[in-house]
Amino acid sequence: MQKINSIMEGACGNKMGMVFLLWLFAAALVVKAEDPYVFFDWKVTYGKLSPLGVAKDAILINGKLPGPTINSTSNNNIVINVFNELDEPLLFHWNGIQQRKNSWQDGMPGTMCPIMPGTNYTYHYQVKDQIGTHFYFPSTDLHRSAGGYGALTVHSRELIPVPFDWPADEFYIFLSDWYNKGHKELKKTLDDGQTIARPNGLVINAKHGEVGDKMEPLATFEAGKTYRFRVCNVGMRTSINFRFQGHNMVLVEMEGSHTVQNDYDSLDLHTGQCLSVLVTADQEPKDYYLVATSRFFKQQLSTVALISYANGKGAAAAELPPPPPDNTEGIAWSINQFRSFRWNLTASAARPNPQGSYHYGQIEITRTLKLVNTKGEEGGKLRYAINGVSHKDPDTPLKLIEYFEMADKVFKYDLMPDEPAGDASKITVAPNVKNATFRNFVEIIFENHEKVIQSYHINGYSFFAVAIEPGKWSPEKRKNYNLVDATSRHNIQVYPNSWAAVMTTLDNAGLWNVRSEMWERFYLGQQFYFSVLSPARSLRDEYNIPDNQLLCGAVKGKPMPKPYTI
C-alpha cells in the first residue's frame, strides 16, 4: 500500500501520469475479473418409474427425471455439488462440453475416481468459448439405462448475435430407449458375457405415450409464435426419428454449431446426438403429437407426446405422420439427410469472429487413424473392440496413473494400431490409450463392417464431420469430403457396412475418451483414450489437478507431483 501511495503522490502533479494510473488500475480490474459462476446442489437418489408398465429403480436428481437444467452462457463457470445417495459409486459426464485444459473434471472412469455412496464431490468447469445444446448423464457402469440425465444449455453471450429471432419459449426433448430390467440386472448380464439385446420401448422425457392416451402437454403453443426445441438422444443404443404432427421443423443448431436453416418434416437423431429446431405454431389451434420411432430395427418401436395450443379445441388426429423407410433405402435416406447438414458460415458463435474463419479444409493432415469396430469373445465372454483392442479400465483412473508417472507399471501406450492389423476376430482386453501429438491436425476414419448402426463420440473436442459413405474407406475417398462447411460437432453415426470421416486439431491437452455411444459396446470395450500431453507442461496448456480431486487406488496417499507453472 505504501508503494501505491507513493506512485499516486508522484502522479498527482502530472495529468498524463494520473491518466496512466487510472488506466493501470482499470486494466488490473479486468485481469482479475472472473467470468460469472452458476451454482447447483444435486441430491442423487433412486426412485421407481414404470413408463412401460414395469416398475424399476431410476436415477433421479433432486427427485426428478429428467434432472435439473443447467442454464449457462458462454464462458460461465459451472459449479455442481453432487451428493451420491445411491448404493453404488457414481460419476457424471458433461456430453459435448469440451472442458478446455481440464480433463480432470470430464467425469469419465478413465479420468476421475468415482463419488462413493454417502459422499459428495463438487465439479467445477468452464463452458469456455462454447454454445449449444448438450446433456449430462451418469457414466459409471450401466447407470445410463436408469436415467440420471438432464439438459446442459450454453447460450450465446448478449454481444454475439444469434442467426434467428429469439423464440417465444424453448423446450428440451429427451428421446431414449427404455429397458424394463434394472441397471444392476443389465450389468450382470454383460458381466456374465451375454448381450442385453433390444430395449422394450421408447420414451420421451422418461414417459411413454400411445395415441389416445390422456397425457400432460409437453409444450403449449400460442398461435403464430415460434418455439425452440432442443432435442437429444440419451438412449443406450437406438437411433430415433422424430417429427411433429402437422408442423415442419427448421434446423438451427447442432451440438454447438449454428447450421444452415433448412426445413425438415422429420429428423434422424442417433445415440448421443443433440440438435435444435424451430417450430412455428401455424396450424389450426388444437392438439398435435410429437412422434418418435426407432430406426434400423426389425421390430419398430414408437412413442408419442402431446403438443397443445392455448385455447385450442380438438384432440390430436389418430393418424400419425409416417417414419422414413427402414431398410437399405432408409439408410440412403438418412445419409442424404446427413449431407444436408451444413455449417452456417455467416453466423457468429461463442467467439466474436465468424465461424467460417477457420478454414479446416486447407490444413495439412498430420495423422490418419482408421478405426474398425469388431465383436468377439475373450474367455468365453462377449467383448467389443476397436482395431482388435477391447478397453478395460484399471483399478486406478488412467489420468491419475499418468499424472503420478506410474503408467509403465499399469498399461502400455499405443497397444491399438492406427489401422487394423492381423486377424480381425482376435481381441486383446487391456487399457487402451493412444499417444497423440499436441496440436496435430488428425483425420479419423470410423469404418463399420457390421450390420448394425454405430455412433461415436470424442470427448474434449469438436470435429468436422466431412463425409459418410457406404463401403470401405480409401485415401482417394478424400475427394468426396466436404472441406468447406461441414458441421463442427462431437458425435458421428456410422451406418452398417459404411464409413465416416472426421477431422480435428488435438489442441486440448489432457486425457480424452473416444467411445461408442452404444452403451453396451462402451461398457464391453469399444472405446479408447487419447493422451494429449503438452511438451511445455505449462498452465497455458493444461490446468493443475484440482485441490479437491478424489484420489483412489494406487495413487491414494502418494505425494503430489510437482505442479505445472506458467
Side-chain angles (χ1 to χ4, degrees):
M1 181 63 77
Q2 184 177 357
K3 186 175 182 180
I4 293 175
N5 287 338
S6 298
I7 294 173
M8 291 184 69
E9 288 170 6
C12 284
N14 183 325
K15 187 174 181 181
M16 289 299 294
M18 180 58 74
V19 170
F20 172 76
L21 188 64
L22 292 172
W23 175 87
L24 188 66
F25 282 167
L29 287 173
V30 170
V31 169
K32 292 183 179 179
E34 282 194 90
D35 289 301
Y37 278 72
V38 183
F39 295 92
F40 297 89
D41 283 314
W42 287 1
K43 184 171 74 170
V44 184
T45 61
Y46 292 129
K48 295 291 185 182
L49 289 183
S50 52
L52 300 178
V54 178
K56 75 170 187 179
D57 279 336
I59 294 177
L60 311 180
I61 303 174
N62 297 345
K64 295 180 179 180
L65 179 66
T69 296
I70 300 175
N71 253 323
S72 64
T73 301
S74 296
N75 297 345
N76 279 180
N77 289 280
I78 311 297
V79 181
I80 304 172
N81 191 8
V82 176
F83 294 85
N84 179 10
E85 297 190 7
L86 307 182
D87 57 358
E88 299 175 296
L90 177 69
L91 280 173
F92 280 100
H93 172 63
W94 323 101
N95 207 63
I97 300 303
Q98 293 179 26
Q99 302 276 25
R100 300 299 299 178
K101 306 191 292 186
N102 192 20
S103 64
W104 300 110
Q105 300 285 289
D106 198 37
M108 295 300 296
T111 59
M112 297 184 68
C113 298
I115 309 166
M116 300 306 289
T119 67
N120 71 298
Y121 176 77
T122 301
Y123 289 92
H124 177 195
Y125 58 89
Q126 188 177 23
V127 288
K128 184 70 173 173
D129 295 330
Q130 290 180 258
I131 62 164
T133 301
H134 312 285
F135 67 96
Y136 59 82
F137 69 92
S139 61
T140 33
D141 293 337
L142 272 292
H143 289 142
R144 181 163 170 160
S145 70
Y149 54 76
L152 209 173
T153 306
V154 188
H155 298 280
S156 295
R157 291 175 291 166
E158 288 188 4
L159 73 160
I160 306 297
V162 175
F164 48 86
D165 291 336
W166 199 257
D169 204 349
E170 66 176 39
F171 306 94
Y172 252 95
I173 305 295
F174 294 103
L175 308 175
S176 179
D177 45 25
W178 186 267
Y179 287 82
N180 285 333
K181 291 181 179 179
H183 65 281
K184 293 180 182 179
E185 189 175 355
L186 293 176
K187 179 179 182 296
K188 184 178 185 305
T189 298
L190 295 182
D191 290 343
D192 288 344
Q194 303 170 31
T195 178
I196 60 175
R198 288 188 173 90
N200 298 100
L202 300 185
V203 294
I204 299 174
N205 290 6
K207 296 179 180 179
H208 179 79
E210 301 283 353
V211 171
D213 286 354
K214 186 176 181 180
M215 59 184 83
E216 290 294 320
L218 193 66
T220 300
F221 288 171
E222 289 187 31
K225 293 187 176 181
T226 298
Y227 298 84
R228 181 175 187 169
F229 287 85
R230 298 179 182 265
V231 190
C232 294
N233 184 335
V234 298
M236 291 282 285
R237 60 169 293 174
T238 308
S239 295
I240 297 174
N241 178 273
F242 72 96
R243 51 219 182 268
F244 288 84
Q245 190 179 45
H247 297 74
N248 278 359
M249 302 174 281
V250 178
L251 180 67
V252 294
E253 177 258 333
M254 179 177 288
E255 297 174 9
S257 292
H258 294 306
T259 60
V260 172
Q261 295 176 18
N262 294 324
D263 281 4
Y264 298 89
D265 54 17
S266 76
L267 283 161
D268 279 355
L269 198 61
H270 306 278
T271 313
Q273 296 181 357
C274 293
L275 51 76
S276 290
V277 295
L278 298 180
V279 178
T280 299
D282 56 4
Q283 299 299 309
E284 176 189 352
K286 64 185 193 71
D287 290 346
Y288 296 88
Y289 286 121
L290 166 65
V291 188
T293 306
S294 64
R295 295 286 274 143
F296 316 120
F297 273 4
K298 290 182 179 178
Q299 181 181 359
Q300 194 173 79
L301 306 173
S302 64
T303 185
V304 299
L306 195 65
I307 307 295
S308 292
Y309 275 69
N311 302 316
K313 296 180 180 179
E319 184 179 353
L320 300 178
D326 211 12
N327 47 22
T328 304
E329 181 186 346
I331 291 174
W333 182 95
S334 196
I335 291 176
N336 285 334
Q337 185 171 89
F338 162 81
R339 291 171 178 161
S340 73
F341 301 149
R342 302 286 180 166
W343 209 13
N344 187 339
L345 299 184
T346 63
S348 295
R351 300 181 183 90
N353 57 301
Q355 295 179 11
S357 65
Y358 184 34
H359 300 296
Y360 66 93
Q362 301 174 17
I363 302 174
E364 182 181 356
I365 297 169
T366 55
R367 184 180 185 183
T368 296
L369 286 85
K370 182 180 177 181
L371 307 178
V372 177
N373 49 278
T374 55
K375 175 183 178 181
E377 288 190 355
E378 173 64 26
K381 294 185 177 182
L382 176 65
R383 297 294 302 186
Y384 294 97
I386 301 175
N387 289 1
V389 179
S390 182
H391 175 79
K392 183 177 181 180
D393 288 310
D395 293 335
T396 307
L398 295 163
K399 176 65 177 174
L400 293 175
I401 291 170
E402 189 175 69
Y403 183 72
F404 280 82
E405 299 182 341
M406 300 168 60
D408 58 336
K409 300 177 182 178
V410 180
F411 66 88
K412 293 181 180 179
Y413 290 100
D414 298 319
L415 187 64
M416 182 185 77
D418 281 9
E419 59 181 52
D423 185 358
S425 64
K426 185 179 179 181
I427 289 178
T428 299
V429 179
N432 194 0
V433 183
K434 293 287 288 181
N435 263 321
T437 302
F438 189 48
R439 296 198 174 108
N440 264 15
F441 188 69
V442 300
E443 171 189 50
I444 303 175
I445 312 300
F446 297 101
E447 192 169 280
N448 179 16
H449 298 173
E450 298 184 56
K451 296 180 180 179
V452 295
I453 194 168
Q454 307 291 317
S455 181
Y456 286 96
H457 177 92
I458 301 180
N459 285 3
Y461 298 94
S462 287
F463 52 70
F464 296 99
V466 295
I468 292 178
E469 288 190 358
K472 294 185 178 181
W473 181 85
S474 58
E476 58 266 23
K477 297 292 185 180
R478 292 184 180 126
K479 69 179 183 295
N480 300 333
Y481 286 6
N482 176 1
L483 297 179
V484 177
D485 59 356
T487 306
S488 176
R489 53 194 299 186
H490 50 76
N491 186 290
I492 189 72
Q493 70 270 22
V494 193
Y495 297 94
N497 299 309
S498 300
W499 58 267
V502 306
M503 295 174 163
T504 191
T505 301
L506 298 177
D507 60 353
N508 190 10
L511 191 78
W512 304 106
N513 187 243
V514 182
R515 65 175 178 271
S516 170
E517 283 283 10
M518 325 281 278
W519 214 247
E520 173 184 37
R521 290 174 172 266
F522 166 84
Y523 182 76
L524 293 182
Q526 199 169 305
Q527 56 167 309
F528 68 94
Y529 284 85
F530 266 133
S531 175
V532 186
L533 295 177
S534 162
R537 298 294 199 273
S538 168
L539 285 174
R540 291 189 300 270
D541 300 328
E542 184 176 13
Y543 297 141
N544 279 315
I545 186 171
D547 292 337
N548 71 330
Q549 194 78 4
L550 299 172
L551 300 181
C552 57
V555 303
K556 191 170 185 178
K558 294 279 186 181
M560 295 297 291
K562 184 179 179 180
Y564 295 161
T565 58
I566 296 297

